[in-house]
Amino acid sequence: MASMLVAEDLSAVGGISLSAAVPVLAAFDYQVAALPTSLLSTHTSGYGRPAILSLADWLPQVFEHWTVAQLQFQQALIGYVGSVELCDLLTAYLRDAQLQLIVVDPVLGDLGKLYAGFDAAYVDAMRRMLTVADVILPNVTEASLLTGVPYQAEPDLARLLTELQQQLKPGTHAIMTGVTQADQIGCAWLVDGQVQFVGQPRLAGHYNGTGDALAAVLAGLLGQGRDLAMSIQLANQWLQAAVAATLALPDHDERQGIQLRPILRAILALDPA
């Protein structure tokens, strides 16, 4: 059983971040080490201002204990971190850990804006973290922030992806998420300098946690050694099925994240890698 370190925030209510990533990766049969970077009473969309507990003092103790206990992980998925200090701490840990796969979802903002509480120093800290990654999963806003290219809802994908790749170590894959093409939404990446796109029909509404679920699925598939293009195709298909299942709920509350059941069923039905 492979081990996967997952570092991102934990919301007591909302079904996103760690609450979504852990069951997805457990379905892949990973031994998951769940490392909350902060604790929230709810996520930040639709519930008002949550109660937030920073774990900046706890995480250094965790890494110290893991070192003493000689705990080692094979792969890692990094999502929302929250502070420059924690970004740099995680970057140093990941650089020393010599993992087989590091997937980073550089959570910075959306719709052309930084999330509340983030600034240019935090963007710089995230750039430093990307230097240790093997796969990065920025949305269009995050790709713009990381490259300094002005935000556009329909960007020049070739330019953005090329500039992202220039910041990364050789062999790293930059996969932009939430990319729209006509009536589809999906992912874009480069192969031999050419933009590739995989998407699914866009469904109505806004759904919290879709990016977290997509990142966990991709980390799980790629961590098993599956082909990049096929992994992106499957992840988009499964995510679309999860959103459709969420829409079909008679008492759906969009603040509660998406239905993971279609994704978990699909993972369990996979042929061994």
Side-chain angles (χ1 to χ4, degrees), residues 44 49 52 80 82 108-110 113-119 122:
T44 57
R49 182 175 178 81
I52 302 175
Y80 179 93
L108 293 169
D110 203 1
K113 297 180 180 179
L114 281 168
Y115 289 133
F118 290 169
D119 56 16
Y122 188 75

Side-chain angles (χ1 to χ4, degrees), residues 9 44 78-84 87 104-130 136-148 164 167 177 212:
D9 61 298
T44 57
I78 311 300
Y80 179 93
V81 180
S83 74
V84 170
C87 272
V104 177
D105 180 5
V107 180
L108 293 169
D110 203 1
L111 301 176
K113 297 180 180 179
L114 281 168
Y115 289 133
F118 290 169
D119 56 16
Y122 188 75
V123 176
D124 286 340
M126 188 57 66
R127 288 193 186 104
R128 292 192 290 272
M129 178 177 287
L130 297 189
I136 67 168
L137 303 169
N139 62 27
V140 175
T141 296
E142 290 154 355
S144 298
L145 290 165
L146 291 166
T147 59
L164 276 174
Q167 297 185 29
T177 65
D212 301 324

Side-chain angles (χ1 to χ4, degrees), residues 75 154 190 199 204 209 213 227 242 265:
Q75 301 165 18
E154 297 182 5
L190 294 179
D227 174 75
R265 285 176 172 165

Side-chain angles (χ1 to χ4, degrees), residues 190-249:
L190 294 179
V191 174
D192 297 328
Q194 300 299 309
V195 175
Q196 312 295 307
F197 174 78
V198 164
Q200 291 287 315
R202 188 180 187 115
L203 300 176
H206 172 76
Y207 303 93
N208 294 300
T210 51
D212 301 324
L214 181 73
V217 169
L218 282 171
L221 290 167
L222 295 172
Q224 291 184 338
R226 296 179 187 272
D227 174 75
L228 179 71
M230 180 57 68
S231 296
I232 296 171
Q233 179 73 50
L234 289 175
N236 277 273
Q237 289 175 358
W238 297 350
L239 190 64
Q240 205 257 7
V243 172
T246 306
L247 270 173
L249 292 173

